[in-house]
Amino acid sequence: MKAGSNLEKVLEKGLFAVTGELGPPEGNDVSVVKRKADLLRGYVDAVNVTDNQTAIVRMSSLAASALVVQMGLEPIMHMVTRDRNRIAIQSDIFGATALGIKNMLCMSGVHHTFGNQVDAKNVHDLDSIQLIDCVRTLRDQGTLLGGDEKIEGKVDLLIGAVMNPFADPFEFQAVRLAKKIRAGADFIQTYPIYDMERFKEWMKMVRDRGLDKKVYILVTLCPLGSEEMIHCMEKDFPRTAVPDEIVNRIVKSENSAIEGVKLCVDQIREIREIEGIHGIHLINMGWTEITRQIIEMGGLFPRPKI
Amino acid sequence: MLDFDPKIIAFCCDQSGYPAADTAGTLKLKLPKNVEIVRVPCAGCIETIYLLKALEKGADGVLVFACYEENCQFLRGNLRAKGRLSYAHRMLEKIGLEKERIEICHLATNSGAKLVETLRRKSEQLKKMGPNPGKL
Amino acid sequence: MIKAEQKPIDEILKYLNPYNKILLSGCGACVTVCHAGGEKEVELLASGLRMARQKIGKKIEVLEITPARQCEPEFALEMSETIEKVEAVLSISCGVGVQTLVRHFQKIPIFPGVNTSFLGETITHGVWEERCQACGNCVLEKTGGICPISRCAKQLLNGPCGGSSKGKCEIKKEADCAWQLIYDRLKTLNQLYRMEEIIPAKRWGVESRDSGLRRIIREDLKV
């Protein structure tokens, strides 16, 4: 076991994992964290706690994750390289693991000019692959990145990374996944998937390289309950292609919310039949309430207790 | 509105403006007072600094007579002139002078009447605007 | 070369407000190439400044000079005599030129007339684009000659981010994704294996811009 987290145990046992998402408040209102944690408790194996997502300033993932631990739920702390240098990153990892956080998702982060502090200085001291390597170094070698001295304590983290199967160049995406695995990624979560055919092509490239045997792959899904959500999706995840058939299906239905949920559940069913997938990651763009229903309808409730 | 004869420098290109001025003479059309014609081989020879210096050194207005856009014998001379006028206009706007003081007019060799009419119109316009406050 | 853009003239006029006789100094090198501070631009700006001040009834005398390069002592010192005759200098060279003059003429105010923007390439006449950020340890050998530090908005060293699409950067549709360019280039050169190599974190604090004021000294050249 690398971290002994609940998520790791579920994945190790070959059970189909389910993770959810919790966006911290744009401030310090703890009740926001509590409300979302209450909605997800018992329905997910672990919950992603985002890190200033889309460069909008929110309560730090570290602090919110620590609160989530206190609230009886297991967090996956996010860390972007956009806002902190390696000193702050490693310092935050010491703090996070001291506060009981056992999973971490590494990414570069959407460019800060998308957010609400566009005048900020960009950091990007490390990129996502160097960050994965940094966490792995802390955990497996017990030293800082490029350092010799042993750290005081032990960092046990399950290391996650993000992959966008629809990013360009398409042919490179499997190579990029291989690089992240070599750097130390234990699991990955994809960008939200809607174009199943293209996704299956990517999975074939991944399987051909044997990568599904080296890393746990969780597919991100998100219900689209309205036209507005579709626009938000395309804005928050700049390269997610929502195919026209899906847009039409949602927009032209009698009840977009119900149709969006149905579509999501259908997707879960389809994903479970693809070889090499180890779980799903359910995001909600603020529609946290719907997560329980989707997990139930998708036949994924109750969650295993290990 | 002051009663004065605006000083206008008219750059006339050899392929259009200058022959047009000749035609105007043949037709006995009178140019407004205080117009000075400066002959150039092509509008593309007019450096931006000539436009500004003309105003600096006492002109109230500057006109550039050039060939129609597709007709420049030297291919893009008139387009270069257009770009330079655009720079001069931006400069004038930023320093608080009216950009109408510098203008480009496209015409052909036989457009004597058009040349004179344009100069008259510019002279009237400049009378209303008043003398160039930037001239040293 | 260094690329720059002239400051707005009203900003320049504010700097020059207390002065009635100035030297406007251009530079025959980088800022000439990007049409921000060469001899022509000196003439144009001088004319504009004179007319602007004439208009408000506060005449200004503007002397003009354009040394071959404003960032070298020999050329800077050539201006000594002229500088003695003026109250201030407006330099439309890059920031380096301004500071070279400051080092040699300590008793006179020297003002910047351009914003120094980036190190770049001339794409075509009138279009310049950033190409280098002087990071101190060039990685171009690993990336087919295309710089991910200056051309990737996140300075990524190990491939594109998830926001790269159809060859364009997520933040600027006009900007090419540097890693798409690198990928295409390495593919053309049959060197795609380079994309599989993990490039380690850059040593910003030791060999790059976060190491403090940088210097290069060549003892063999110091005669």
Side-chain angles (χ1 to χ4, degrees):
Chain A
M1 279 271 156
K2 295 182 180 177
S5 68
N6 185 49
L7 176 63
E8 188 178 11
K9 289 175 188 166
V10 168
L11 289 167
E12 266 238 329
K13 281 199 154 18
L15 302 167
F16 196 76
V18 175
T19 57
E21 186 144 294
L22 190 155
E26 285 185 52
N28 59 3
D29 185 353
V30 178
S31 69
V32 170
V33 181
K34 186 170 186 309
R35 179 180 64 81
K36 294 181 182 183
D38 287 343
L39 285 167
L40 296 171
R41 195 181 295 104
Y43 283 79
V44 296
D45 303 317
V47 62
N48 284 38
V49 180
T50 60
D51 180 18
N52 296 319
Q53 193 168 45
T54 329
I56 304 278
V57 183
R58 294 175 183 269
M59 179 189 289
S60 70
S61 177
L62 198 171
S65 296
L67 288 170
V68 162
V69 169
Q70 284 173 22
M71 293 170 186
L73 197 44
E74 177 170 291
I76 300 171
M77 180 178 79
H78 281 204
M79 195 172 284
V80 298
T81 60
R82 175 192 62 223
D83 308 325
R84 351 175 145 62
N85 68 12
R86 65 193 80 176
I87 298 173
I89 284 171
Q90 292 175 109
S91 168
D92 282 351
I93 289 173
F94 288 165
T97 45
L99 289 166
I101 293 159
K102 297 184 179 157
N103 309 297
M104 181 171 149
L105 193 69
C106 305
M107 63 206 99
S108 0
V110 166
H111 199 267
H112 75 282
T113 50
F114 279 105
N116 57 8
Q117 293 279 264
V118 301
D119 287 333
K121 195 173 181 196
N122 222 347
V123 181
H124 290 295
D125 179 16
L126 305 176
D127 62 31
S128 58
I129 285 173
Q130 292 156 354
L131 173 58
I132 293 167
D133 180 44
C134 176
V135 185
R136 197 253 309 262
T137 304
L138 281 170
R139 182 188 68 194
D140 297 345
Q141 277 166 231
T143 64
L144 293 176
L145 184 68
D148 292 317
E149 274 186 41
K150 291 288 184 195
I151 62 174
E152 291 179 307
K154 214 169 162 301
V155 167
D156 292 326
L157 278 171
L158 191 70
I159 306 172
V162 176
M163 280 303 305
N164 182 2
F166 302 131
D168 290 318
F170 186 65
E171 321 78 61
F172 177 66
Q173 295 311 315
V175 174
R176 189 153 165 79
L177 175 57
K179 255 176 120 163
K180 291 193 174 183
I181 295 169
R182 252 185 302 130
D186 300 311
F187 72 95
I188 62 141
Q189 289 172 334
T190 67
Y191 266 42
I193 303 296
Y194 294 99
D195 185 344
M196 279 297 169
E197 289 319 304
R198 192 148 186 219
F199 177 65
K200 286 174 187 169
E201 270 177 60
W202 181 74
M203 274 308 297
K204 181 158 187 322
M205 281 197 312
V206 166
R207 284 194 306 265
D208 286 346
R209 283 175 174 248
L211 299 177
D212 58 319
K213 308 267 185 286
K214 295 182 183 170
V215 75
Y216 297 118
I217 299 176
L218 280 74
V219 178
T220 300
L221 298 174
C222 180
L224 296 171
S226 63
E227 199 169 353
E228 200 198 325
M229 279 187 86
I230 296 176
H231 289 313
C232 281
M233 171 60 59
E234 289 176 339
K235 189 167 123 338
D236 281 358
F237 292 92
R239 287 329 314 150
T240 296
V242 186
D244 290 334
E245 316 89 72
I246 292 186
V247 176
N248 290 334
R249 185 175 157 181
I250 306 287
V251 163
K252 291 185 178 157
S253 67
E254 258 188 53
N255 187 324
S256 298
I258 293 180
E259 197 59 35
V261 169
K262 242 182 116 267
L263 173 69
C264 193
V265 174
D266 289 343
Q267 285 182 311
I268 294 176
R269 214 163 287 134
E270 208 175 338
I271 290 285
R272 294 194 78 169
E273 280 161 23
I274 302 176
E275 191 195 328
I277 307 285
H278 305 94
I280 57 156
H281 172 52
L282 207 49
I283 65 172
N284 51 64
M285 290 197 302
W287 197 15
T288 321
E289 301 73 12
I290 207 65
T291 309
R292 290 185 171 195
Q293 187 182 344
I294 293 175
I295 290 171
E296 281 169 357
M297 285 172 69
L300 295 165
F301 186 78
R303 298 309 309 147
K305 281 193 175 29
I306 303 176
Chain B
M1 186 173 89
L2 266 172
D3 194 13
F4 76 111
D5 290 313
K7 169 94 189 181
I8 300 178
I9 305 290
F11 288 98
C12 291
C13 118
D14 253 346
Q15 328 303 325
S16 57
Y18 201 72
D22 246 358
T23 310
T26 315
L27 295 172
K28 297 213 185 336
L29 297 169
K30 266 192 122 157
L31 296 178
K33 283 196 200 148
N34 224 355
V35 169
E36 189 175 325
I37 301 222
V38 176
R39 183 179 181 178
V40 291
C42 169
C45 294
I46 303 166
E47 294 280 357
T48 322
I49 191 61
Y50 304 163
L51 305 170
L52 294 182
K53 275 284 187 229
L55 293 179
E56 195 189 322
K57 298 283 183 197
D60 299 298
V62 176
L63 261 163
V64 171
F65 288 103
C67 298
Y68 287 106
E69 286 203 7
E70 259 112 63
N71 288 357
C72 178
Q73 188 173 354
F74 302 103
L75 302 180
R76 286 196 292 269
N78 50 7
L79 293 179
R80 293 187 204 280
K82 209 168 147 195
R84 289 167 193 166
L85 253 93
S86 143
Y87 185 101
H89 283 158
R90 279 200 310 277
M91 174 71 87
L92 293 184
E93 279 182 314
K94 287 178 193 169
I95 61 176
L97 296 184
E98 304 91 338
K99 68 176 191 186
E100 291 77 14
R101 293 191 181 272
I102 304 182
E103 190 181 320
I104 187 166
C105 170
H106 299 281
L107 39 54
T109 54
N110 57 0
S111 313
K114 182 170 181 183
L115 181 122
V116 171
E117 183 43 48
T118 307
L119 284 166
R120 270 197 211 128
R121 178 184 48 78
K122 186 52 76 182
S123 191
E124 289 307 308
Q125 188 188 35
L126 289 167
K127 272 195 191 155
K128 290 202 184 92
M129 263 188 242
N132 166 19
K135 69 174 111 176
L136 266 57
Chain C
M1 281 184 129
I2 294 177
K3 302 300 174 205
E5 266 185 298
Q6 242 178 53
K7 280 183 172 290
I9 201 169
D10 48 288
E11 191 180 329
I12 294 175
L13 285 164
K14 268 201 201 111
Y15 301 162
L16 299 179
N17 203 32
Y19 309 102
N20 300 320
K21 186 170 180 186
I22 66 151
L23 173 63
L24 174 48
S25 172
C27 176
C30 307
V31 290
T32 296
V33 171
C34 62
H35 293 258
E39 196 177 331
K40 281 191 186 175
E41 288 75 36
V42 167
E43 284 185 309
L44 291 166
L45 182 58
S47 181
L49 290 172
R50 285 182 205 113
M51 288 201 278
R53 287 279 289 254
Q54 179 72 17
K55 180 171 181 270
I56 59 168
K58 198 171 185 265
K59 257 188 138 118
I60 188 171
E61 194 183 336
V62 182
L63 306 183
E64 301 170 29
I65 195 166
T66 309
R69 292 191 287 285
Q70 221 186 93
C71 51
E72 289 183 45
E74 295 83 352
F75 296 117
L77 291 167
E78 272 176 16
M79 302 201 286
S80 307
E81 262 187 57
T82 323
I83 284 193
E84 273 168 36
K85 302 177 188 159
V86 299
E87 299 162 7
V89 177
L90 174 69
S91 164
I92 52 174
S93 71
C94 71
V96 181
V98 175
Q99 294 182 75
T100 306
L101 295 186
V102 166
R103 187 162 72 90
H104 291 98
F105 305 110
Q106 287 169 9
K107 297 201 177 121
I108 187 166
I110 319 264
F111 296 104
V114 305
N115 290 321
T116 307
S117 309
F118 53 81
L119 303 175
E121 180 192 340
T122 299
I123 305 297
T124 180
H125 196 65
V127 181
W128 303 281
E129 211 170 78
E130 186 168 16
R131 285 292 178 263
C132 176
Q133 286 185 0
C135 76
N137 190 349
C138 191
V139 299
L140 290 178
E141 175 260 337
K142 298 185 195 293
T143 59
I146 292 169
C147 179
I149 306 288
S150 57
R151 296 165 80 166
C152 170
K154 302 177 185 175
Q155 297 106 56
L156 302 176
L157 291 176
N158 285 288
C161 69
S164 166
S165 168
K166 298 195 184 14
K168 296 298 179 187
C169 174
E170 75 178 6
I171 68 161
K172 278 187 187 178
K173 288 200 187 79
E174 327 81 74
D176 292 328
C177 166
W179 278 98
Q180 178 75 55
L181 293 175
I182 292 170
Y183 178 84
D184 292 339
R185 168 80 176 153
L186 291 175
K187 195 170 178 189
T188 310
L189 297 175
N190 274 321
Q191 290 183 15
L192 274 178
Y193 62 85
R194 290 186 185 275
M195 298 277 297
E196 312 211 2
E197 183 195 326
I198 293 182
I199 296 181
K202 203 154 174 65
R203 306 181 69 201
W204 301 106
V206 169
E207 35 182 51
S208 192
R209 58 192 185 217
D210 298 324
S211 60
L213 184 70
R214 294 182 276 181
R215 284 191 136 198
I216 297 175
I217 301 181
R218 284 274 303 274
E219 294 295 345
D220 58 309
L221 296 175
K222 283 163 70 175
V223 276

